[in-house]
Amino acid sequence: MAFNRKQRLRDNIEAIRTAFILDREQRTPTARERLLLERYCGFGGLKCILNPAKELTDAVHWAKSDLELFAPTVELHRLVRENCRDEMEYKRYMDAMKQSVLTAFYTPPEITDAIADVLHGHGIRPDRVLEPSAGVGAFVDAVLGYKPDADIIAFEKDLMTGRILKHLHPDQKVRVQGFEKIEKPFTGYFDLVISNIPFGDVAVFDPEFTGSHDPARRSAAKTIHNYFFLKSLDTVREGGIVAFITSQGVLDAPSNAPIREYMMKHANPVGVARLPNNLFTDNAGTEVGSDLIILQKNSGKKRELYDYEEMFIQTGKTPIGSFENGYVGSIGMIPHSDLIRSTDPYGKPAYKIMHRGDIEQMAEDLREHLSIEMLKFDKNIVHTSKTATNMVNNFQETVKIYQQGKKYYDALKSVNNLVKDARKVQQTILMVGDITDIYVNNFQKMLHDGNFTPEELSAIAFGYTKLLEESNDVLTDLKNVVNITTLSMTDKDRMDVVERCYSKMKRYRNLVGYYTNKNISVSYLRAKKKNDLDRIMGLYGNMDERYW
C-alpha cells in the first residue's frame, strides 16, 4: 500500500484525540479506541508539520503541493493546544513531533513478528525484556505474541508517542523518558533487549559513558545509535541477546570501528541482515538504509577474535567509492532483492537494496535469512560439547547413510507414471536426497578447504545437522499421512498435509543451499586475501555461479 500523507496525518490526529480523551476520563480504551490508537504512525515523512500552521493566514507560506495538508495540520495544532496545560507544554509536544520527522520510521508488524519468531524458534524465551525506544510498541507486541508472560520495560522519549504507548500497553511498565535514565540495578538484568533504535549525531548525557576511561564508551555518548548498543550490552545478562534495527552507519562508517571492536570484545555476532531500503516506504514514504544486528553478550572473551568477528569491525571501499562493512559484504542480501547504484541523502554515491515483493514476502525472506544467520547462536552452545573428532565421525556416519539411500533415490527418480498427487509425495521424498546430497558433497570439500578452523567446521556441521533433523521431521509427518489406512482423514485433508509437507521441504532444501553458499563465500573471501582464489574456485566452482 502506497504512503498516503493525508491519511497518515488523519490517523495520527485521531489517535492523539483518543489519547487525550482517555487521559481526561482516566480509563482504558475500548476495542474501537484501541484500533484508532494502533493507527498512530508517528511523523516520519510528514514534513508538513514543520511549516507554520497556527492560523489560517499561515497558508501563504506553504508550497502548493502541500496545501491539502494545511487544514489537518492546523487541526493538529489546535487539538494539542486545547489539551495542554499551558503554552510551554504545547511547545514541548510540537517540538518533539517536529524533531521526529526525519527519524520516526516505525517498523512494520510483519517484520517485528518475523524477528520475534526466529528468536523464539532458536530457543530464546525471555522472561525479562527491555525495549529502549518503543514507539507505540511494535516489538512489545511481537515479543508478547511468543512469550505472553514476559516482563517488559519499555522506554519512549517522545511525549505524544509515550502517551499512546501507555494506553496501548496498560499492563506493561512504560516509562516516558530517555533510555539513559535507566537505573544501575538493571545492569546485567535483561534476557533480551530489542528495538528499532534512534539514529543521528545526538549526544546522550550519561556519566557512566561521558566520564569513562574507555575511549569507545566516551565516543558512544556522542552519537545516540552507538550509545544504545553499548548501553544495552550493559543491561543484558551474560548470554542474553541484543537485537536492534539501526542505521547502516553503525556497520559501514569507518569512524565507528572502535565501537564495533568494543561490541566484538563484549559480545558474539549472532546475526546481521542488511534490510531493503523500501522497508519503511508504506509507513513513512521514505527509502532509508538500515541493518538488523543481533548480538549475544559474552563479556568474558579470552580468545582472539574469529575471522568473521574481525570482518564485523572492518570496512572497505566499494567500486563506487562508498564504504561497506566487511561482514555485510560476506553474507549477501536477503532473497528477492536487487542492488541498485544510487546516492545517499547527502548526494554521495551509495548502493540501495530494493526488495521485489510486498511486506509479507519481505518478512518471509528475512525469516529465511535469519534462520541461517542464527545458527551462530547455536554454535556458541555446542562448541564446548562437540569436538572436531566427533564432528568428523558424525559426518562419516551421514556419508554411509547417504550412500545406502542413493540407490533408492536414483530408482525413485526413474518412476514417471505417477498420478499428480503421488508425484508430490515422490518429489518431497526426493528433496530429502537433494538436501543430503548438498551437505555431503559440499561439506566433504570444506573438510579439505583449509580456510576453516576445526571449531568453524564443527559449527558448520551442527548447522547442517539441525537443518537435516528439521527436514526429516517433515518427512515423518508425510509418511504418517501416506500410511494412514483409517477413515480419520478425507482425501482433501490428506492432500492438504502432502502439499504442506512439500512446501516445507522445498523451503528446507533452499535453506540448505543458501547455508552452503554462505559458508563457501567465507572461504572465497579468505582465499582472495591470500591470493588463493584459483584453488578455491577449482574446489567449489565459479564464485558468480555459487553465490553472488
Side-chain angles (χ1 to χ4, degrees):
M1 185 176 66
F3 181 69
N4 184 321
R5 295 187 302 165
K6 193 172 183 180
Q7 185 58 53
R8 295 292 179 181
L9 185 55
R10 172 52 52 197
D11 288 344
N12 283 348
I13 290 169
E14 294 310 318
I16 291 169
R17 192 190 316 280
T18 303
F20 280 134
I21 290 170
L22 294 173
D23 281 341
R24 195 162 54 242
E25 298 179 2
Q26 296 186 332
R27 60 177 176 83
T28 56
T30 63
R32 179 182 174 279
E33 288 169 332
R34 187 172 178 83
L35 285 174
L36 292 172
L37 293 170
E38 287 172 347
R39 287 182 189 146
Y40 184 80
C41 61
F43 291 89
L46 292 172
K47 296 180 182 178
C48 59
I49 68 166
L50 299 174
N51 298 331
K54 285 187 177 182
E55 309 295 340
L56 292 175
T57 53
D58 286 328
V60 297
H61 302 292
W62 282 52
K64 190 175 180 181
S65 58
D66 289 339
L67 276 177
E68 66 168 354
L69 303 175
F70 177 72
T73 305
V74 170
E75 182 184 352
L76 171 67
H77 277 267
R78 187 180 297 126
L79 173 64
V80 175
R81 189 185 292 110
E82 288 174 353
N83 286 277
C84 285
R85 291 188 299 270
D86 51 37
E87 189 68 16
M88 187 178 291
E89 186 180 44
Y90 159 72
K91 188 175 185 304
R92 283 175 62 211
Y93 273 113
M94 294 311 302
D95 286 348
M97 289 180 199
K98 289 175 181 179
Q99 288 168 12
S100 71
V101 165
L102 297 176
T103 59
F105 306 130
Y106 289 1
T107 318
E110 295 86 353
I111 299 298
T112 57
D113 183 74
I115 296 168
D117 182 21
V118 172
L119 293 176
H120 182 83
H122 284 77
I124 299 168
R125 316 284 163 82
D127 293 316
R128 298 167 172 176
V129 180
L130 171 65
E131 219 298 14
S133 181
V136 291
F139 274 112
V140 174
D141 288 329
V143 169
L144 290 173
Y146 294 91
K147 190 70 165 60
D149 60 342
D151 182 18
I152 299 178
I153 297 179
F155 282 80
E156 175 50 52
K157 193 169 188 175
D158 181 82
L159 297 174
M160 189 60 72
T161 308
R163 186 183 287 258
I164 291 170
L165 178 66
K166 275 189 166 185
H167 288 303
L168 283 172
H169 297 94
D171 298 328
Q172 303 303 325
K173 302 179 183 78
V174 174
R175 296 173 60 169
V176 187
Q177 57 186 168
F179 174 38
E180 68 275 11
K181 300 293 185 185
I182 193 167
E183 296 83 1
K184 204 169 181 64
F186 289 109
T187 300
Y189 179 82
F190 296 99
D191 303 310
L192 171 67
V193 185
I194 188 167
S195 189
N196 176 351
I197 63 174
F199 61 89
D201 295 330
V202 178
V204 179
F205 179 70
D206 183 336
E208 289 189 15
F209 279 70
T210 54
S212 173
H213 295 298
D214 188 323
R217 288 174 74 86
R218 287 200 308 274
S219 171
K222 297 174 184 176
T223 48
I224 194 165
H225 43 275
N226 289 337
Y227 171 80
F228 265 66
F229 269 99
L230 271 55
K231 185 71 172 178
S232 295
L233 284 174
D234 288 349
T235 63
V236 77
R237 63 168 173 79
E238 290 295 328
I241 295 292
V242 173
F244 283 163
I245 292 177
T246 185
S247 66
Q248 289 180 358
V250 170
L251 289 178
D252 285 351
S255 59
N256 260 0
I259 302 296
R260 295 190 293 271
E261 184 176 3
Y262 183 98
M263 291 182 196
M264 291 301 93
K265 286 182 176 177
H266 294 82
N268 300 332
V270 169
V272 172
R274 178 131 294 181
L275 300 172
N277 288 63
N278 50 342
L279 170 61
F280 300 103
T281 303
D282 286 351
N283 276 359
T286 188
E287 293 176 359
V288 59
S290 59
D291 290 325
L292 171 64
I293 301 173
I294 306 175
L295 305 173
Q296 184 178 20
K297 186 171 179 178
N298 181 10
S299 59
K301 280 187 181 180
K302 290 187 173 75
R303 57 169 174 79
E304 289 187 5
L305 298 182
Y306 294 136
D307 280 3
Y308 63 82
E309 292 172 324
E310 293 282 4
M311 289 165 65
F312 187 96
I313 299 168
Q314 297 160 0
T315 56
K317 272 201 171 184
T318 67
I320 62 172
S322 60
F323 286 95
E324 183 181 63
N325 180 268
Y327 184 85
V328 170
S330 76
I331 60 172
M333 302 178 290
I334 71 169
H336 304 112
S337 297
D338 297 314
L339 189 67
I340 299 169
R341 184 171 178 162
S342 184
T343 56
D344 65 16
Y346 308 101
K348 294 179 180 177
Y351 286 117
K352 281 198 310 189
I353 295 175
M354 302 299 287
H355 191 268
R356 296 190 294 275
D358 58 16
I359 194 65
E360 287 81 11
Q361 182 63 53
M362 193 187 297
E364 188 55 39
D365 290 340
L366 178 61
R367 265 191 190 89
E368 182 172 314
H369 177 91
L370 289 178
S371 294
I372 298 299
E373 280 287 288
M374 283 292 294
L375 290 171
K376 289 196 209 62
F377 175 75
D378 297 306
K379 178 185 78 174
N380 296 322
I381 296 169
V382 312
H383 258 175
T384 55
S385 59
K386 289 247 185 184
T387 64
T389 303
N390 287 338
M391 174 266 296
V392 171
N393 289 340
N394 289 341
F395 176 63
Q396 288 171 346
E397 284 301 311
T398 304
V399 172
K400 283 182 191 173
I401 296 167
Y402 166 69
Q403 289 170 344
Q404 290 165 5
K406 197 170 186 313
K407 290 180 182 177
Y408 167 70
Y409 291 123
D410 288 343
L412 193 59
K413 282 178 187 173
S414 65
V415 179
N416 294 312
N417 58 336
L418 293 173
V419 296
K420 180 184 172 185
D421 294 340
R423 185 161 293 281
K424 251 321 166 27
V425 175
Q426 178 202 44
Q427 289 169 344
T428 305
I429 296 169
L430 283 173
M431 277 190 275
V432 179
D434 291 345
I435 288 168
T436 316
D437 183 69
I438 293 168
Y439 168 35
V440 168
N441 289 327
N442 286 286
F443 192 67
Q444 196 107 40
K445 293 172 184 175
M446 290 178 199
L447 287 171
H448 298 93
D449 180 310
N451 282 327
F452 298 107
T453 66
E455 291 83 9
E456 287 171 330
L457 287 168
S458 180
I460 291 169
F462 175 78
Y464 276 122
T465 301
K466 192 170 176 63
L467 289 167
L468 284 168
E469 285 172 354
E470 290 174 359
S471 62
N472 274 313
D473 287 344
V474 176
L475 190 59
T476 301
D477 292 343
L478 181 68
K479 286 176 180 175
N480 287 340
V481 172
V482 172
N483 292 336
I484 285 175
T485 55
T486 66
L487 299 176
S488 59
M489 294 182 79
T490 66
D491 287 344
K492 182 185 181 306
D493 290 339
R494 201 188 311 272
M495 286 320 303
D496 283 346
V497 175
V498 169
E499 184 65 41
R500 192 160 59 249
C501 289
Y502 173 80
S503 298
K504 278 187 179 179
M505 193 67 78
K506 191 173 180 182
R507 178 173 175 270
Y508 280 120
R509 185 183 62 183
N510 292 340
L511 276 173
V512 171
Y514 184 49
Y515 179 61
T516 300
N517 288 334
K518 281 172 71 66
N519 286 314
I520 292 172
S521 73
V522 172
S523 179
Y524 276 124
L525 289 166
R526 291 173 180 175
K528 193 174 179 182
K529 261 189 196 176
K530 296 187 286 189
N531 201 21
D532 190 29
L533 262 181
D534 288 344
R535 182 182 67 85
I536 295 302
M537 288 170 71
L539 184 64
Y540 296 110
N542 186 282
M543 183 167 59
D544 295 324
E545 295 169 2
R546 295 295 311 187
Y547 190 57
W548 284 280

